[in-house]
Amino acid sequence: MRLAPRQYRYLEALGIEVYQTRVRQDVKETGLTPVCGHENMQVTGSGLPQAGPGPEVVPGAAEAIATRQGDRVTHDWEALQREVAGCRLCPLHEGRTQTVFGVGDVNADLMLIGEAPGAEEDRRGEPFVGRAGKLLDAMLQALGLARQQVFIANILKCRPPNNRDPRPEEVLACENYLAQQINTVKPRLILALGRVAAQNLLKTETPIGKMRGKRFQYGDPPVPVVVTYHPAYLLRSPREKRKSWQDLQLAMTIYKEQT
């Protein structure tokens, strides 16, 4: 597939190199277009040997997510926000600056779910800010999307002390809030960001490495779920960015199947 120039720039910002096979000279001389109809693209993490091609981003999938219109009846979204803001169902409320409800389009087709707020998220009341947030924005922009066109939430609405993993009772306290958000947004696809988000959302202890590259389902009616690495992990392990890009391609392929 062909990527727009700006998408190449975003992939470079991700640290992902994009290799394009040159059209053979004899083909250039004839003026004929190769049978495949597009340049063969291979993606690999910086410093890694060139990998074989992964699944292609389905043409039009990102544009469909960005432009689809619809009037959905919400379950009093503002009331849910107020309920979350005043929540005292677990001890995490004692140390929070504020809750982190989530941001984005309540009518979004794509919903991203992370783990829990960090220090900066707790201060600003918005998920995925700081370096991890900038990387997530670049991941979305590589698909032709902005964070305003998706909805981003977390498993927990309050920050755990010292950014530790959420405890089962804390996840249980927030579970209904997240379920209401998903039921209201009604996404066509959920992208689970990181091990903690994926395991808690899908009720499994399967390692994230074994969940990647597969299609899961959440809820009834079922919503497709794709699992990928958390942006904070990618900052620590940049060689895994290639795998994350493949996960995003898989997500776009699954989304397109439903439209």
Side-chain angles (χ1 to χ4, degrees), residues 83-204:
E83 185 177 353
V84 169
C87 178
R88 295 174 176 268
L89 293 178
C90 80
L92 289 182
H93 76 272
E94 297 172 359
R96 74 188 179 211
T97 301
Q98 59 186 315
T99 56
V100 180
F101 182 78
V103 295
D105 184 0
V106 72
N107 292 321
D109 280 348
L110 176 60
M111 187 167 182
L112 285 68
I113 299 177
E115 174 184 336
E120 187 65 12
E121 286 84 0
D122 174 74
R123 186 180 71 82
R124 293 174 53 177
E126 181 176 343
F128 287 95
V129 296
R131 292 181 65 214
K134 289 180 180 178
L135 180 55
L136 180 61
D137 289 347
M139 293 165 67
L140 290 171
Q141 289 164 342
L143 294 174
L145 295 170
R147 72 160 51 204
Q148 294 85 0
Q149 295 167 323
V150 302
F151 192 83
I152 306 173
N154 281 316
I155 294 291
L156 294 190
K157 309 306 182 189
C158 294
R159 180 198 178 199
N162 302 314
N163 294 337
R164 62 162 171 76
D165 286 351
R167 293 172 178 166
E169 62 271 19
E170 296 164 352
V171 174
L172 183 63
C174 272
E175 195 170 53
N176 185 53
Y177 296 142
L178 180 61
Q180 288 186 67
Q181 287 179 311
I182 295 172
N183 289 337
T184 299
V185 176
K186 292 182 172 61
R188 292 189 179 181
L189 181 72
I190 293 174
L191 187 64
L193 301 169
R195 172 187 62 84
V196 172
Q199 289 180 343
N200 282 285
L201 187 69
L202 299 173
K203 306 300 182 186
T204 180

Side-chain angles (χ1 to χ4, degrees), residues 12-257:
E12 289 177 359
L14 280 168
I16 297 172
E17 297 174 2
V18 180
Y19 295 92
Q20 300 180 69
T21 302
R22 294 181 181 275
V23 179
R24 299 194 316 271
Q25 185 63 32
D26 58 339
V27 175
K28 287 184 178 180
E29 291 173 353
T30 63
L32 298 176
T33 302
V35 174
C36 62
H38 60 269
E39 296 169 321
N40 184 24
M41 183 183 74
Q42 295 185 340
V43 180
T44 181
S46 178
L48 292 177
Q50 186 169 334
E56 293 183 353
V57 175
V58 179
E63 290 83 353
I65 289 178
T67 60
R68 194 176 69 85
Q69 300 294 323
D71 294 326
R72 294 176 180 163
V73 178
T74 68
H75 306 303
D76 200 344
W77 193 250
E78 292 183 357
L80 180 60
Q81 288 178 302
R82 290 193 296 270
E83 185 177 353
V84 169
C87 178
R88 295 174 176 268
L89 293 178
C90 80
L92 289 182
H93 76 272
E94 297 172 359
R96 74 188 179 211
T97 301
Q98 59 186 315
T99 56
V100 180
F101 182 78
V103 295
D105 184 0
V106 72
N107 292 321
D109 280 348
L110 176 60
M111 187 167 182
L112 285 68
I113 299 177
E115 174 184 336
E120 187 65 12
E121 286 84 0
D122 174 74
R123 186 180 71 82
R124 293 174 53 177
E126 181 176 343
F128 287 95
V129 296
R131 292 181 65 214
K134 289 180 180 178
L135 180 55
L136 180 61
D137 289 347
M139 293 165 67
L140 290 171
Q141 289 164 342
L143 294 174
L145 295 170
R147 72 160 51 204
Q148 294 85 0
Q149 295 167 323
V150 302
F151 192 83
I152 306 173
N154 281 316
I155 294 291
L156 294 190
K157 309 306 182 189
C158 294
R159 180 198 178 199
N162 302 314
N163 294 337
R164 62 162 171 76
D165 286 351
R167 293 172 178 166
E169 62 271 19
E170 296 164 352
V171 174
L172 183 63
C174 272
E175 195 170 53
N176 185 53
Y177 296 142
L178 180 61
Q180 288 186 67
Q181 287 179 311
I182 295 172
N183 289 337
T184 299
V185 176
K186 292 182 172 61
R188 292 189 179 181
L189 181 72
I190 293 174
L191 187 64
L193 301 169
R195 172 187 62 84
V196 172
Q199 289 180 343
N200 282 285
L201 187 69
L202 299 173
K203 306 300 182 186
T204 180
E205 296 182 358
T206 304
I208 188 170
K210 293 185 177 180
M211 285 191 279
R212 287 190 55 257
K214 299 178 182 178
R215 173 176 177 158
F216 297 91
Q217 293 183 336
Y218 170 89
D220 185 19
V223 181
V225 178
V226 172
V227 175
T228 192
Y229 294 117
H230 194 285
Y233 171 78
L234 295 177
L235 290 172
R236 300 191 301 270
S237 305
R239 289 178 179 268
E240 302 290 2
K241 290 178 180 179
R242 174 180 60 86
K243 295 179 181 178
S244 184
W245 173 240
Q246 292 171 346
D247 297 335
L248 295 179
Q249 292 176 303
L250 173 61
M252 290 295 97
T253 298
I254 292 175
Y255 173 82
K256 185 62 177 178
E257 291 174 355

